[in-house]
Amino acid sequence: MKAITIEPKKAGSAQLENVSDPDFHYGSVLVEAIAVGVCGTDVEMVEGKYGWAPPGEMRLVLGHESLGRVRDPGPSSGLKKGDLVVGIVRRPDPVPCPNCAVGEWDMCRNGQYTERGIKEIHGFMSERWRIEPEYAIKIDPTLGILGVLLEPTTVVTKAWEHTLAVGRRAFWEPRTALITGAGPIGLLAALLGVQLGFEVHVLDRYQSGLKPELVRALGAAYHSTSVADVGFAPDVVLECTGAGEVISDAISSVGASGIVCLTGVGHGGPVPTMPMADIGSSAVLKNNIVFGSVNANKRHWYKAAEALARADRSWLARLITGRERPEDFAKALSRGAQHIKVIIQFADL
Ligand code: BGC
């Protein structure tokens, strides 16, 4: 079968190649790939900056934002042939650490977790893949191709859940949320913020085009200024750019007792000019919390599937701005700034 693979940490090594059929040890459920979303992590891996092959192998099958159709449900999965499923990305570490032991692998303490298509286990960018029944999430069939948005929705579901959990440390009546970045993560974070009843504001550098349209279609406000110029002190900032200057602006502009949740994974960039002690005293004097959030556990997958099923389908459909065939995977990976989510489509629905 065909699969899109890389040699991790080697830039430009991505290729569409023939690989053997998925090994049974990956799980008893056999799935035919329909589509796989491409995200910043995939681009980083293709650029040789991230990613790990399975032990004893040279190459890794990419892809962690999956959507597939069950071809063989196996003996005891509770699934049926034809069901639409999405694969959970992370697997608990083998020790396991206390968090992995209780199913919170997204909070793994020892870093020995594995991730499909990212860290030591093959991903979903292959014509067929296998999965353990307990890691296959069945989606509302009426979502169709939009099910490919489930994985990024799980990431923001966790970010919101944790933000609200840390807010409960004291009396807190949050009203306003600022989302920095209007890529897929930022827009899905905005969708969930609206569903949660927040007054949502989204900030991105584009002044016109699809991003402001999608934000306004949610009933949220769009800003193309800097964080410091949005004109209010947000109760919550969900940072989805990973850009240093946006992060430091978010920390200094969040309101008293406000929370900054960092979800963007950035690298380098200019060193912020605000001295660390000033950032610290601003956080102390306003009782702020700044925390990071990555990945998602099964509870978030379940909640994200519910949130997607509740969302306006035509709005979700506008997030998918590009579809490429596996042979054209390079085009999907070099997606231009005008794109939101580009998917690689392996089969029709
Ligand atoms: C994925 C997460 C993963 C993280 C770090 C993200 O792109 O969506 O599932 O945990 O990368 O590898």
Side-chain angles (χ1 to χ4, degrees), residues 6 14 36-50 61-65 116-118 125 333 335 341-342 344:
I6 56 161
V36 187
V38 170
C39 86
T41 305
D42 299 306
V43 174
E44 287 223 314
M45 286 193 286
V46 167
E47 288 171 351
K49 296 180 188 155
Y50 196 64
V61 176
L62 273 180
H64 60 277
E65 298 185 3
R116 292 207 62 166
I118 301 175
M125 283 191 193
L333 288 157
R335 69 223 196 289
K341 177 59 70 188
V342 177
I344 300 177

Side-chain angles (χ1 to χ4, degrees), residues 86-109:
V86 177
I88 292 182
V89 177
R90 195 177 277 199
R91 298 292 175 276
D93 77 77
V95 178
C97 76
N99 288 66
C100 284
V102 299
E104 298 217 347
W105 51 71
D106 56 315
M107 301 295 287
C108 179
R109 300 278 295 281

Side-chain angles (χ1 to χ4, degrees), residues 132-258:
E132 315 87 320
E134 63 278 23
Y135 289 97
I137 302 289
K138 186 174 153 181
I139 59 151
D140 180 338
T142 66
L143 275 173
I145 197 76
L146 302 174
V148 77
L149 298 171
L150 181 57
E151 197 277 342
T153 309
T154 67
V155 167
V156 291
T157 299
K158 174 187 172 180
W160 267 115
E161 185 200 78
H162 281 215
T163 301
L164 299 179
V166 284
R168 274 181 231 119
R169 72 197 157 133
F171 180 77
W172 193 46
E173 281 185 327
R175 197 176 55 83
T176 53
L178 175 66
I179 317 291
T180 51
I185 292 290
L187 289 167
L188 290 167
L191 168 72
L192 297 199
V194 170
Q195 286 186 352
L196 286 165
F198 275 79
E199 177 191 309
V200 174
H201 296 251
V202 181
L203 178 146
D204 198 287
R205 56 192 150 181
Y206 292 94
Q207 285 173 2
S208 58
L210 189 54
K211 289 181 173 182
E213 280 172 31
L214 284 167
V215 169
R216 290 186 188 119
L218 282 177
Y222 186 85
H223 304 259
S224 51
T225 57
S226 70
V227 178
D229 292 330
V230 291
F232 67 101
D235 298 316
V236 168
V237 181
L238 259 168
E239 205 302 298
C240 306
T241 68
E245 63 278 25
V246 183
I247 297 170
S248 64
D249 276 1
I251 295 173
S252 44
S253 310
V254 68
S257 73

